[in-house]
Amino acid sequence: MAPMPSDEFERPVVILTGLGIPTSVSSAMEAYMFLADWPHTQRDAAHAFAIKACLAAVLGEIEPETAKGLFASWAEKNDILALEPASFASSRKAGSHGTA
């Protein structure tokens, strides 16, 4: 029997939980578990799409980075995605590229 493919993300997604505590989500399984615990009254189509993608990544049906992107988009939509200082700096650098 072949081993299950890894569902680990290349870099974790950092979300804000509880009282704004940064929490690192390092795999599709961790993201799936977080989404499964999300209150039913606050679930929407984006939640359903993200949870299905995370499960597909766990099963090796899609790439973990695809599930990561959907999870991060869902987290951003729900205002719980933490801004990483490194990504902020690089996006500012990229955004100012070519301006006078």
Side-chain angles (χ1 to χ4, degrees):
M1 186 171 166
M4 287 290 289
S6 173
D7 71 329
E8 295 288 316
F9 298 152
E10 288 180 19
R11 292 186 53 189
V13 175
V14 180
I15 57 173
L16 302 174
T17 60
L19 299 171
I21 300 167
T23 303
S24 184
V25 178
S26 302
S27 70
M29 178 56 83
E30 288 179 17
Y32 177 84
M33 290 171 33
F34 184 83
L35 289 163
D37 286 341
W38 195 252
H40 288 274
T41 57
Q42 295 179 19
R43 295 181 183 189
D44 58 8
H47 177 276
F49 201 55
I51 201 167
K52 287 177 186 175
C54 290
L55 182 57
V58 169
L59 297 174
E61 297 171 356
I62 66 171
E63 293 294 319
E65 292 304 301
T66 302
K68 174 187 172 182
L70 292 167
F71 177 69
S73 294
W74 171 84
E76 183 176 27
K77 181 179 184 271
N78 285 277
D79 293 324
I80 61 168
L81 184 65
L83 183 62
E84 295 179 52
S87 65
F88 178 71
S90 65
S91 67
R92 284 187 50 155
K93 188 176 183 181
S96 64
H97 191 77
T99 58

